[in-house]
Amino acid sequence: GMRPSRLLKQIARETAAVIHYQRQQFTFKPISALLKKTALISYHYDDARQQNQILSFKKTNADPLIQSFTQRQFTGWHLAQGILNSSNANTTDSSTVPRELAGFKSPITLANLNTLLTPTLEFTCLGNGALQAGITLQLAFNRNHTELPIDESLPDKVIIQSVAHRYSAQKYQCRVKTCLPLNNEQYH
């Protein structure tokens, strides 16, 4: 009796996966596998020597307050085993976050509930038909500074959340929205 879109979203959250529908096909990809993959496409900002250029970008949702509202220590109940806690690397320290009762009996599913994707960057680039949702990109943000040539405050590896292909001013361009797991400190 559940809407299909809500069911698919719930399946993706319980398995810590990204789900996309394109060209009449559903695709599920585990978030952890996407971040371990070597990015096949790289984009550069402010480096004219490179092929794939970022024309403009903006940082989205950089508020640390989001993490305080979304991170929970999920707990489940099993009739034979009693209280179940998530025992995974995705779990945050139970002393610093509130507990929340979830209707799951698997510690793996309980740990996956904390793997949330949050928007990271939004950028515009020249058109590239290879860009599609669910692939990993390598990014480099160059600066005109001799001592610090790369801006390391921005992530160097992201997952494409959505891509809009369009024609603007007689040029084929892409507007790309990227995301990263909320609790993945390695890429923030």
Side-chain angles (χ1 to χ4, degrees), residues 4 11 37 45 57 72 75 115 127 147 159:
I11 291 170
K37 272 187 178 178
Y45 180 74
F57 75 93
R72 299 285 185 258
T75 305
T115 305
E147 293 178 10
I159 300 169

Side-chain angles (χ1 to χ4, degrees), residues 23-60:
R23 299 182 183 161
Q24 301 175 352
Q25 180 176 336
F26 283 104
T27 306
F28 284 88
K29 296 179 182 178
I31 294 169
S32 59
L34 286 173
L35 291 173
K36 289 178 185 173
K37 272 187 178 178
T38 303
L40 299 177
I41 303 173
S42 62
Y43 272 85
H44 301 269
Y45 180 74
D46 202 18
D47 187 358
R49 299 170 296 166
Q50 303 297 330
Q51 182 178 358
N52 296 328
Q53 292 290 314
I54 295 174
L55 303 176
S56 64
F57 75 93
K58 68 178 181 178
K59 211 171 171 184
T60 57

Side-chain angles (χ1 to χ4, degrees), residues 64-72 98 100 116 182:
L65 190 60
I66 294 170
Q67 190 163 354
S68 67
F69 285 114
T70 56
Q71 295 298 288
R72 299 285 185 258
E100 185 174 323
L116 300 171
L182 185 62

Side-chain angles (χ1 to χ4, degrees), residues 12-14 20 66 91 93 102 133:
R13 185 169 183 222
E14 290 173 13
H20 296 284
I66 294 170
T91 308
D93 185 16

